């Protein structure tokens, strides 16, 4: 039997014993351990195959626990916690001295977030402490948005996956750094940057890496959130031409498009993505997973719109892509 259930008592017992549990959040599923125990947190890194110097987010029930983990907390942090918690926002703050290096990657900061999923919120309230949890996928792979995805990543090596249904947001939390004089957008995500700026009354600093330059060389891009099948991104016309060439060469091609309805493009399997940014975000990882594996030789994804509402989607697409077509 697959270790998937909604048993909070069992989840609590495992976490208290220093074991790992897959947990649902509104963004993506997490691989959780007691954040106060370096031995438990070490198991996360071992299971994910993740480098030990990468910090992990500490999940808490709410603002009442912020000061358990962070110190020198600026007003901006309280404002943002009040406005967006529980929700898809992670705050980077100065850590309290007791926070294990295994959690912070040895830095003097800690990432904190109160997730909005009711099952995990209830778990956190009963647990009382913090749960260190990165996304529940092998290092570099596409994040999971269902309990089944988590099972596909780790199989029976993970003792329990709490089943909270499909994630409603579908991309990871927005990360805001509050340790410098000026707040910084470190990762676009579930909460739009504009909503955060409206609460703070200032623009966030955002150092975006160059994006859709006509990079053709795979490996030059941050390989993260990536399917195993090569993923090429570009405008629809370029993808249609590419699909045709590859079909002629005997390849199996999937074409993920959104701007127009397509019946078929010369042998490619066409899949329509949602037109709205939020629905697209919710569907993105699941769609990449559905088309990954050995069904196709290549996935061709139509480049999403380049507007503010699509910032998080474009960030993930950029990292998932192995190349771009002009
Ligand atoms: O929505 C999410 O944030 C999901 C769910 C499970 O909560 N979690 C997630 O975790 O995406 P992960 O580990 O896949 O990504 C966490 C990001 C990493 O890029 C990490 O570098 C950054 O958060 N991070 C965590 N703690 C940090 C810190 N102290 N300073 C700077 N960055 C930090
Ligand atoms: Mg991740």
């Amino acid at each position: 039997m697959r270790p998937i259930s909604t048993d909070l008592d069992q989840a609590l017992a495992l976490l208290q014993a220093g074991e790992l549990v897959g947990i649902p959040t509104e963004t993506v599923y997490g691989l959780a351990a007691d954040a106060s125990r370096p031995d438990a947190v070490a198991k996360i890194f071992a299971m994910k195959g993740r480098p030990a110097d990468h910090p992990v987010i500490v999940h808490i029930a709410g603002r009442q626990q912020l000061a358990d983990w962070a110190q020198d907390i600026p007003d901006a942090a309280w404002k943002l916690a009040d406005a967006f918690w529980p929700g898809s926002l992670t705050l980077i703050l100065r850590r309290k001295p007791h926070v294990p290096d295994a959690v912070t990657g040895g830095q003097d900061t800690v990432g904190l977030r109160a997730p909005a999923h009711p099952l995990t919120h209830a778990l956190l309230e009963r647990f009382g402490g913090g749960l260190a949890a990165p996304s529940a996928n092998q290092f570099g792979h596409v994040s999971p948005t269902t309990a089944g995805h988590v099972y596909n990543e780790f199989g029976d090596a993970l003792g329990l996956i709490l089943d909270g249904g499909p994630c409603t947001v579908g991309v990871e939390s927005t990360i805001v750094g509050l340790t410098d004089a000026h707040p910084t957008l470190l990762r676009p995500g579930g909460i739009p940057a504009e909503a955060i700026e409206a609460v703070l009354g200032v623009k966030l600093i955002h150092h975006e890496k160059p994006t859709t330059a006509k990079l053709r060389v795979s490996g030059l891009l941050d390989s993260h959130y990536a399917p195993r099948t090569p993923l090429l991104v570009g405008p629809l016309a370029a993808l249609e031409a590419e699909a045709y060439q590859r079909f002629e060469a005997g390849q199996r091609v999937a074409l993920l498009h959104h701007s127009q309805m397509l019946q078929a493009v010369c042998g490619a399997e066409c899949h329509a993505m949602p037109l709205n940014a939020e629905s697209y975000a919710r569907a993105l990882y699941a769609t990449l997973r559905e088309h990954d594996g050995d069904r196709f030789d290549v996935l061709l994804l139509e480049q999403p719109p380049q507007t503010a509402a699509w910032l998080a989607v474009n960030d993930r697409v950029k990292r998932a892509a192995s190349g771009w077509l002009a």
Side-chain angles (χ1 to χ4, degrees):
M1 214 178 65
R2 301 200 301 175
I4 299 179
S5 83
T6 55
D7 188 343
L8 279 188
D9 293 329
Q10 195 195 352
L12 198 59
L14 284 167
L15 292 166
Q16 285 165 345
E19 298 300 329
L20 303 183
V21 175
I23 57 167
T25 86
E26 78 281 20
T27 59
V28 302
Y29 274 69
L31 184 61
D34 183 342
S36 68
R37 286 180 57 169
D39 62 325
V41 176
K43 292 178 187 171
I44 297 176
F45 289 87
M47 188 167 287
K48 279 193 65 131
R50 174 169 164 146
D53 59 350
H54 281 216
V56 285
I57 295 169
V58 176
H59 298 73
I60 55 179
R63 61 139 33 219
Q64 67 281 6
Q65 291 173 328
L66 238 180
D68 294 348
W69 301 89
Q71 59 188 9
D72 308 328
I73 302 170
D75 281 349
W78 296 114
K79 275 192 196 158
L80 292 178
D82 288 339
F84 299 112
W85 282 2
S88 316
L89 176 67
T90 297
L91 303 176
I92 307 294
L93 297 162
R94 296 250 166 265
R95 73 156 157 179
K96 278 262 168 75
H98 70 82
V99 184
D101 281 341
V103 167
T104 67
Q107 306 179 66
D108 64 352
T109 58
V110 62
L112 292 165
R113 157 165 128 83
H117 195 287
L119 200 56
T120 290
H121 185 73
L123 177 67
L124 284 165
E125 291 218 299
R126 287 181 62 186
F127 185 65
L131 293 177
S135 52
N137 49 275
Q138 298 287 347
F139 181 64
H141 194 217
V142 178
S143 300
T145 54
T146 67
H149 293 164
V150 181
Y151 185 75
N152 292 343
E153 292 286 323
F154 304 115
D156 295 316
L158 184 55
L160 175 65
I161 304 163
L162 270 185
D163 190 355
C167 300
T168 52
V169 174
V171 291
E172 294 80 355
S173 59
T174 305
I175 304 184
V176 173
L178 293 173
T179 53
D180 298 327
H182 201 96
T184 307
L185 179 65
L186 297 172
R187 179 177 73 182
I191 305 278
E194 298 74 38
I196 294 165
E197 290 170 342
V199 168
L200 294 180
V202 293
K203 282 263 175 208
L204 296 170
I205 296 176
H206 183 206
H207 304 290
E208 211 185 346
K209 291 186 191 155
T211 51
T212 57
K214 296 175 177 78
L215 261 183
R216 280 184 157 271
V217 192
S218 82
L220 267 188
L221 295 159
D222 257 307
S223 175
H224 225 102
Y225 313 99
R228 298 189 163 104
T229 309
L231 175 73
L232 300 179
V233 183
L236 195 53
L239 300 187
E240 285 175 324
E242 186 78 14
Y244 183 72
Q245 275 181 18
R246 287 180 180 258
F247 176 68
E248 291 281 285
Q251 292 194 11
R252 296 160 307 156
V253 178
L255 181 51
L256 313 175
H257 61 94
H258 62 269
S259 66
Q260 308 174 16
M261 291 312 292
L262 295 176
Q263 295 304 333
V265 173
C266 46
E269 186 171 315
C270 296
H271 177 90
M273 298 293 291
L275 274 174
N276 155 284
E278 278 174 32
S279 311
Y280 192 109
R282 194 179 304 132
L284 176 62
Y285 290 151
T287 305
L288 291 177
R289 280 175 178 272
E290 271 161 37
H291 292 82
D292 204 0
D294 47 22
R295 290 176 60 204
F296 298 102
D297 297 301
V298 68
L299 312 180
L300 303 177
L301 177 77
E302 182 181 3
Q303 184 174 329
Q306 301 294 302
T307 56
W310 293 79
L311 187 64
V313 163
N314 278 300
D315 175 79
R316 303 310 187 272
V317 163
K318 181 180 68 177
R319 292 170 203 273
S322 44
W324 294 81
L325 299 168

